[in-house]
Amino acid sequence: MFGKDFQRTYALTDQGVKNVKAGAFWTVIVNLVVMGGIGILYLLMSHFMDTLTENAPLPAAWPLLVMLLVFIVLSLVTHIQQYNATYGLVYGEVKNVRIRLAERLRKLPLGFFGNRDLADLTETLMGDVNRLEHVWSHCLGYLYGSYISTAVIAVALIAYDWRLALAALWGVPVAFALLFGSRELAKRNSEIAKAAGLQASDGIQETIENIREIRATNQENRFLQQLNDKIDHHEKTLIKGELSTGIFVNAASAIMRLGVATTILTGANLILSGKIDFMLLFMFLLVITRVYAPFDQALALISEMFISQVSASRLMEIEDTPAADGTEDFNPAGHDIEFQNVSFSYDNKEVLHDVSFMAKEGEVTALVGPSGSGKSTCARLAARLWDIDGGRISVGGVDVSTVDPEVLLSDYAMVFQDVMLFDDTVMENIRLGRHGATDEEVLAAARAANCDEFVQKLPDGYQTPIGENGSKLSGGERQRISIARALLKNAPIVLLDEATASLDVENETKVQAALSRLLAGKTVLVIAHRMRTVQSADKVVVLSGGKVAEQGSPAELLAMNGIFAQMVRLQTQGQSWTIGK
């Protein structure tokens, strides 16, 4: 019942399965204790009927009072245990599930995130886990416990009178068969509603992120109408799903409740024929009202169980994605980066093919080439942000694919074209480069990256919050903070991807001078479109169409009069371009 398939269906951990078992166990005990209370009521009514019909004396009250007291104590204890098992344990487990998911995401390769948008991942971490938490706590243990207790009670009822038992219980399997028959419809409606909800979330996020461009082009009405259409579509899918589910749930509940009517009709017929007495029918009517009670909540939530399987499959997709793991023992012989016949594909499209070059320690190696030639991809592969399809990338002779990414990245400092900053102070954003760095070390890195000039103009200097992703700063200022962060880390390998793209000529010169001083002796891999940026590089690797077209010193490549020389000429001509009438 609670095997691996069950565990995957509802994305349960091993502890989660134990919680469901505990919840089911205590639900069985609670239901049987309640049946014991009904038994006490039946004994009381039976003695009362004997007194009325046979003039028998009333029994002593103390045995019934003792039984009633025992029932109250047992009911209180078992209900507390059931609550702790079905709610308390599950609520604690939800925290562990989210932490486990976060840890899993931390170990996944960057390619996974390239195929999933932020709204989708946020919905999985928050919405899907919330939905599953409700099923884990309110439904699974309760429902499976009700199955077991009903089976036990059914056996007891059949032992008393199989005819009344069948009349009372026939509706239960029919009702659940109807609900389970609607399972695929519920899952399909849930998938449609989920997709519509993600479209609406993406639309809201896109509108907020691009509000300046939307206003600048006078497109507010068009975008708002598109957003309204997405929200309306999501609302319609939710209404359709809930309506179809509600029809099946209410039909199942009505069918199950018909058991009361068939029990009365069957019992009346058996009483008239003299086969049973009234008290037996009375007992059955008492029992079946309690038999149906556990399923009242379960029937309302069983459709949620089906819908939750969509959320569970999304969680299991993350769990099933291979993690980028490896050894924590990383002792390279130096920090030369070597690409050996490297191939890499993205979304089934080959980006790099048979790429080979070496970036030596103590040298600046520049990657240049047309847009889309694979420069940034090489930088990310060098740091194992993605795993290659073929070939080998090594650092100091150690294959990077064998090293745990977190251990490997401790030797890397990176400044990418897309700067990511946190909604914190300037000081703390720079300190992210090396946790525990002193204020003096942070300030030294900031000055080296030419941050002082604009930070001194901020209201609280380095203690000024910079907004979400540095929204209060210009592009060049954000990039200088990113450079300061990399300088503070002081790692033996430095990757610079368009690191000076957002700087004006004056600041670019200052930052390049700082980089030249502070990166001495390190393995430096620079990706840049501006040829003047790479003129002082020790080595230039020219990529074209995902392959190495040329490599050598800048002087050697200029002498070859190939792609690099052509790029230099074109940029030189572009510098003389002016705006004319």
Side-chain angles (χ1 to χ4, degrees), residues 42-325:
Y42 171 72
L43 289 176
L44 180 63
M45 291 299 297
S46 180
H47 287 307
F48 181 72
M49 290 298 295
D50 289 343
T51 301
L52 291 179
T53 58
E54 301 177 7
N55 293 321
L58 286 171
W62 69 267
L64 288 174
L65 291 176
V66 170
M67 286 189 291
L68 182 61
L69 180 62
V70 170
F71 166 74
I72 292 173
V73 172
L74 283 177
S75 180
L76 178 63
V77 171
T78 54
H79 273 88
I80 291 174
Q81 291 296 327
Q82 183 197 31
Y83 181 88
N84 290 333
T86 54
Y87 298 109
L89 292 177
V90 169
Y91 291 153
E93 180 66 3
V94 169
K95 176 191 69 175
N96 297 330
V97 169
R98 284 206 172 97
I99 292 175
R100 191 190 73 209
L101 277 174
E103 286 294 311
R104 186 67 181 177
L105 290 171
R106 186 170 62 87
K107 293 181 178 295
L108 292 182
L110 190 63
F112 171 82
F113 299 95
N115 296 324
R116 301 283 290 269
D117 61 38
L118 179 61
D120 190 21
L121 286 174
T122 302
E123 172 63 18
T124 299
L125 283 169
M126 302 305 295
D128 288 334
V129 174
N130 278 344
R131 194 169 293 108
L132 285 167
E133 172 270 315
H134 196 258
V135 170
W136 297 338
S137 60
H138 288 71
C139 197
L140 288 179
Y142 200 86
L143 182 62
Y144 282 92
S146 298
Y147 285 158
I148 297 170
S149 60
T150 299
V152 173
I153 295 167
V155 171
L157 292 179
I158 290 172
Y160 268 93
D161 192 290
W162 65 270
R163 296 159 299 186
L164 285 176
L166 290 179
L169 299 174
W170 69 270
V172 174
V174 173
F176 278 91
L178 178 63
L179 280 179
F180 276 90
S182 68
R183 175 170 51 186
E184 292 303 319
L185 176 62
K187 289 173 64 176
R188 186 164 61 251
N189 287 334
S190 176
E191 290 171 352
I192 294 172
K194 178 78 68 178
L198 287 175
Q199 286 181 354
S201 297
D202 285 340
I204 294 171
Q205 181 177 334
E206 181 184 44
T207 301
I208 293 174
E209 289 178 349
N210 297 291
I211 189 65
R212 287 180 298 181
E213 288 76 9
I214 293 172
R215 288 185 175 180
T217 54
N218 294 323
Q219 298 293 318
E220 294 99 325
N221 292 335
R222 184 170 70 87
F223 273 85
L224 286 176
Q225 184 58 50
Q226 290 176 351
L227 188 57
N228 285 334
D229 291 342
K230 291 177 181 179
I231 295 173
D232 288 344
H233 176 61
H234 183 213
E235 182 183 11
K236 290 176 182 177
T237 59
L238 288 175
I239 292 174
K240 179 181 177 182
E242 291 178 3
L243 179 61
S244 60
T245 299
I247 290 173
F248 283 102
V249 168
N250 285 287
S253 180
I255 290 173
M256 190 173 64
R257 293 290 178 182
L258 286 176
V260 176
T262 54
T263 301
I264 294 174
L265 292 174
T266 303
N269 185 54
L270 291 175
I271 289 174
L272 292 174
S273 61
K275 295 178 180 179
I276 64 169
D277 59 17
F278 172 77
M279 287 307 299
L280 184 61
L281 174 60
F282 176 73
M283 182 195 74
F284 266 83
L285 291 175
L286 285 176
V287 169
I288 62 175
T289 56
R290 182 56 205 171
V291 169
Y292 297 154
F295 291 118
D296 286 339
Q297 181 181 4
L299 282 174
L301 292 176
I302 196 169
S303 60
E304 188 172 351
M305 283 178 55
F306 302 150
I307 295 173
S308 73
Q309 293 175 16
V310 177
S311 297
S313 66
R314 287 159 55 84
L315 263 66
M316 295 312 299
E317 180 184 352
I318 295 176
E319 292 287 344
D320 293 339
T321 302
D325 50 15

Side-chain angles (χ1 to χ4, degrees), residues 88 100 120 154 183 193 216 238 327-328 335 377 391 478 510 514 554 564:
R100 191 190 73 209
D120 190 21
R183 175 170 51 186
L238 288 175
T327 179
E328 295 186 3
H335 290 88
T377 300
R478 293 169 64 246
K510 292 178 181 179
F564 180 75

Side-chain angles (χ1 to χ4, degrees), residues 9-25:
T9 298
Y10 297 105
L12 290 163
T13 62
D14 292 338
Q15 182 59 47
V17 173
K18 293 179 182 178
N19 294 343
V20 172
K21 290 180 179 179
F25 172 79

